[in-house]
Amino acid sequence: MTKQPLIISTLTIFSLILLTTHGFAPPSTSTFHPQTSLSVIGEQASSIGPATLLRNLKQSLPQIPYLAEGSASPSNKIDIPPHVAAVLSSPEAPKREAENEERTNRIRERAAQASRDAMEMRGMLLGDADLSAWWRTPHPSATSNGGGGRAITKEDPLTILVAGGGLAGLIVASAAHSKGMKVALFEQASSYAPYGGPIQIQSNALRAIQQINPEIYQELIKAGTCTADRVSGLKIGYRKGNKLAGLYDAGDWLVRFDTIGPALEAGLPPTVVVDRPVIQQILVKYGFPEGTVRIASRIVDYEDLKDGKGVVATLEDGTKAYGDVLIGADGIWSQVRKIMHGLDDGAGGFAASGAAGGALDDKEARKLARDTVKIAARADRRFSGFTCYAALAPHRASNIENVSYQILLGEKKYFVSTDGGGERQQWFALIREPAGGVDPEPSEEDPHPKLTRLRKEFACTGSGDEDGNVWDAFALELINASSEEDIKRRDLYDGAPLLTTFDPRRLFSPWAKGPVALCGDAAHPMMPNLGQGGCQATEDGYRLVEELAKVQHTRDVPGALGGYSRVRVIRTAIIQGFAQLGSDLLVDFDLMMTIPLLGPFFLTMTQLSMPFILRFLYTPSF
């Protein structure tokens, strides 16, 4: 791939920064505000910077109702415009197979069976096998008086300890096993229940999995639902614009694009969506031997034994685990990262995603929301300014045959939906407000507080939401198809795209130190806008193990891990930056659309930049 597309995309992104840079007001010391009609604990944040100046300027100018009157362009309502239709109709593009009862039942039953298998701990390390596990005994070379470690052979392979049983950890374990390494994976949750709905395995991640283990790749393709056979893009949530900048009705398209074109150009497979428990069980079954995963096993400390002797990890119950390498795939609040970077006590916490998050009930989630504010401050993580409500609605979406992914944009919030397969829609409602807020507990007066709030936030009749905006009905179509119990709420955090440090060692090897390295959210947590969090974790796992496969002696492990870190950090930093910026821009999209000249330019540049961004994401080499 040439550098030109990336340069063009980067220039576009930085021009958007200058146009709409904004931040978030700090939370009040008070935690409850009875004056808010939504009765939400917490205070809604607001934009600052150029976006606020533009909003204030616009409100101070004389309002001319005539400019906002009239009809929006009919072309804004067409799901698949000619430029997308041309790509989807190419011989190489996947052909849309209409939803049908057989496929729906098959996908839903496979997800249900995978969840049952996970709860029954199929393939987990249990009983006598646990007591005699290889990692309980240090390698003779680690206890000998002589230094220098040992040579790596087929009979005496590299041994890998992995902290975290989410997607990142499972990919690392699968990749390591595929190279003949011996692996043990330690998951902190007491039940192996994946958190959240399906995952989009985009083209770049599919290529990494294909190279790691073709059987896993084939099983995921078989289990998945293709989402590259339809259109994706951005819509406006409610009527907006004017005759000078363009008029848009609620639900009109602003930007439309395909994901298959860039994938085909790079020779990559089309994106699929697969249920988390299905991904988990495929990796457990085909990725490594039974007994590789041990649950209720949080790594709380480790010691570098130096001189090529490996590392000893200490579990929460005091058990010791010995290996040549320790990989921290334990999420955004990684305990391994805390120790590696010498962060303050409290910087490592219980994960709210991956396998651990699935074990959280609503009460635990409430406590975690408050505790996470303190953890984030110590862990040097950035609160995005958004709280996120999410659910998987068992509902056939009204636009399922044409649209795979869409975002409804608005001021202070936006609504994301994507095909979850099996006539289900995964949706996310992101609302701008300070961290640590929780919904009122269910009561006789309001037994469904989350649904109550969301129905007000995305009201599509009457006077609309609190700001008087009448939303497109699609948001409530999905919200109303979800139950209160299935809706999860969590604040969204990510990390700085590059390290905020002047420590030369960390700059030279940001995610590795000695025989220990980080991957996935532990290394580069990012906003979900690009759907690349799990994909970048998959790329990490592939590259990390490719570097370790070159090791011929245990004393070479630190060099291999440092090399992995340096190879990966720039690409993930760029993608982190795109995801952060995309999230921050989305809530001011509606403002840009009302400004003559600037609005049309803004939309045009966004439309033109998307193929270049996707080409950067969909690379066959990582």
Side-chain angles (χ1 to χ4, degrees):
M1 183 180 72
T2 65
K3 294 181 180 179
Q4 185 180 9
L6 177 56
I7 292 171
I8 293 172
S9 295
T10 303
L11 289 175
T12 300
I13 291 296
F14 279 111
S15 70
L16 298 182
I17 293 177
L18 294 175
L19 293 174
T20 60
T21 299
H22 62 268
F24 302 97
S28 167
T29 53
S30 174
T31 58
F32 182 67
H33 302 269
Q35 72 271 21
T36 172
S37 63
L38 295 175
S39 299
V40 177
I41 298 173
E43 181 183 351
Q44 197 161 60
S46 58
S47 296
I48 61 173
T52 293
L53 293 176
L54 288 170
R55 285 192 189 279
N56 293 339
L57 176 62
K58 181 174 179 292
Q59 291 172 1
S60 66
L61 293 173
Q63 303 300 306
I64 305 174
Y66 165 76
L67 291 177
E69 296 172 355
S71 301
S73 171
S75 64
N76 297 337
K77 297 169 175 55
I78 298 173
D79 284 335
I80 303 180
H83 71 275
V84 174
V87 177
L88 295 179
S89 63
S90 66
E92 300 83 8
K95 303 308 173 190
R96 175 70 185 152
E97 177 189 344
E99 296 295 311
N100 59 76
E101 186 177 359
E102 184 277 327
R103 187 171 69 173
T104 296
N105 292 337
R106 171 167 43 86
I107 291 172
R108 292 190 182 189
E109 175 51 34
R110 178 150 192 180
Q113 183 58 54
S115 295
R116 290 192 292 269
D117 289 345
M119 295 302 293
E120 292 170 9
M121 296 183 290
R122 296 277 180 88
M124 302 294 106
L125 182 62
L126 303 167
D128 293 340
D130 178 33
L131 298 176
S132 59
W134 62 264
W135 46 264
R136 288 180 176 270
T137 305
H139 193 279
S141 65
T143 56
S144 62
N145 292 327
R150 74 182 195 282
I152 300 301
T153 66
K154 185 177 181 180
E155 295 73 27
D156 193 5
L158 209 60
T159 57
I160 315 292
L161 308 178
V162 181
L167 179 62
L170 291 168
I171 290 291
V172 169
S174 299
H177 178 68
S178 74
K179 295 292 186 180
M181 302 171 194
K182 196 179 288 186
V183 192
L185 192 154
F186 301 91
E187 166 53 42
Q188 64 181 327
S190 57
S191 63
Y192 210 47
Y195 171 84
I199 297 177
Q200 281 198 76
I201 310 180
Q202 296 190 52
S203 301
N204 52 311
L206 284 172
R207 172 53 59 85
I209 293 169
Q210 190 177 36
Q211 292 177 301
I212 289 169
N213 185 321
E215 190 172 20
I216 291 175
Y217 168 79
Q218 291 295 339
E219 288 295 320
L220 289 173
I221 293 295
K222 191 189 307 181
T225 298
C226 180
T227 59
D229 54 5
R230 285 156 285 170
V231 72
S232 297
L234 310 177
K235 291 182 172 184
I236 186 65
Y238 41 80
R239 182 174 170 85
K240 199 70 178 178
N242 54 57
K243 288 184 173 70
L244 301 179
L247 280 167
Y248 297 86
D249 290 326
D252 275 7
W253 286 103
L254 304 175
V255 175
R256 288 160 286 191
F257 58 88
D258 65 274
T259 60
I260 190 60
L264 292 176
E265 288 177 19
L268 300 179
T271 294
V272 297
V273 61
V274 187
D275 286 276
R276 288 174 191 259
V278 173
I279 297 172
Q280 179 196 77
Q281 290 304 301
I282 286 173
L283 288 166
V284 169
K285 182 176 180 179
Y286 298 99
F288 37 76
E290 280 200 21
T292 296
V293 180
R294 187 181 196 260
I295 64 168
S297 303
R298 182 168 184 253
I299 291 179
V300 295
D301 201 1
Y302 69 81
E303 178 187 356
D304 178 358
L305 298 177
K306 310 289 187 183
D307 299 325
K309 293 183 178 181
V311 61
V312 54
T314 303
L315 306 183
E316 202 160 31
D317 63 1
T319 301
K320 303 290 185 181
Y322 299 86
D324 297 316
V325 182
L326 171 62
I327 304 301
D330 47 345
I332 183 171
W333 314 118
S334 168
Q335 182 74 3
V336 174
R337 173 180 177 268
K338 169 190 173 295
I339 299 165
M340 177 187 291
H341 292 330
L343 301 175
D344 292 341
D345 289 342
F350 189 79
S353 58
L360 295 175
D361 60 24
D362 204 47
K363 182 179 179 181
E364 291 171 320
R366 289 171 183 276
K367 182 179 185 299
L368 187 65
R370 298 185 178 98
D371 292 347
T372 300
V373 178
K374 301 174 184 176
I375 296 171
R378 296 183 174 95
D380 192 26
R381 294 307 197 193
R382 184 195 84 130
F383 173 54
S384 68
F386 291 93
T387 193
C388 175
Y389 293 84
L392 178 65
H395 171 74
R396 180 190 174 97
S398 55
N399 61 9
I400 188 65
E401 297 301 336
N402 293 327
V403 182
S404 66
Y405 174 87
Q406 70 174 45
I407 302 178
L408 287 171
L409 302 174
E411 182 186 353
K412 302 177 185 175
K413 58 200 167 194
Y414 58 99
F415 186 88
V416 185
S417 68
T418 184
D419 181 10
E423 295 194 355
R424 300 168 303 165
Q425 281 282 309
Q426 187 174 18
W427 59 263
F428 307 88
L430 286 87
I431 301 172
R432 187 190 292 177
E433 62 182 47
V438 296
D439 294 293
E441 294 190 22
S443 63
E444 287 187 14
E445 294 76 19
D446 186 3
H448 311 295
K450 285 181 283 192
L451 281 170
T452 296
R453 179 186 188 182
L454 291 168
R455 285 165 178 159
K456 291 178 180 178
E457 293 279 7
F458 297 96
C460 61
T461 57
S463 59
D465 66 12
E466 197 172 42
D467 295 316
N469 297 313
V470 180
W471 281 76
D472 179 59
F474 187 72
L476 278 189
E477 177 186 328
L478 303 188
I479 290 169
N480 288 332
S482 309
S483 68
E484 178 81 7
E485 295 72 27
D486 288 337
I487 299 173
K488 304 296 182 183
R489 174 182 177 170
R490 62 187 174 105
D491 295 330
L492 297 182
Y493 293 83
D494 59 10
L498 288 173
L499 286 168
T500 54
T501 179
F502 293 104
D503 181 346
R505 189 209 63 75
R506 285 182 64 186
L507 289 171
F508 183 69
S509 182
W511 304 338
K513 184 178 182 181
V516 184
L518 307 173
C519 77
D521 282 351
H524 48 73
M526 58 185 69
M527 289 291 286
N529 303 77
L530 297 177
Q532 279 286 319
C535 297
Q536 289 307 300
T538 302
E539 289 187 12
D540 287 348
Y542 168 78
R543 175 49 53 196
L544 191 158
V545 174
E546 286 294 305
E547 297 301 319
L548 285 178
K550 302 172 185 175
V551 170
Q552 298 182 0
H553 197 282
T554 54
R555 63 171 172 260
D556 300 329
V557 165
L561 295 179
Y564 143 77
S565 180
R566 289 186 290 277
V567 167
R568 291 290 301 152
V569 69
I570 298 300
R571 174 169 165 79
T572 55
I574 292 171
I575 294 172
Q576 263 186 304
F578 280 161
Q580 281 187 5
L581 179 61
S583 174
D584 292 349
L585 287 174
L586 288 179
V587 289
D588 285 316
F589 231 102
D590 71 316
L591 171 64
M592 291 297 102
M593 293 164 47
T594 64
I595 303 174
L597 298 180
L598 186 59
F601 173 80
F602 184 77
L603 290 178
T604 299
M605 293 305 294
T606 303
Q607 178 72 66
L608 292 177
S609 69
M610 281 308 303
F612 296 119
I613 293 172
L614 288 170
R615 284 169 189 150
F616 175 68
L617 296 177
Y618 294 173
T619 174
S621 58
F622 21 78

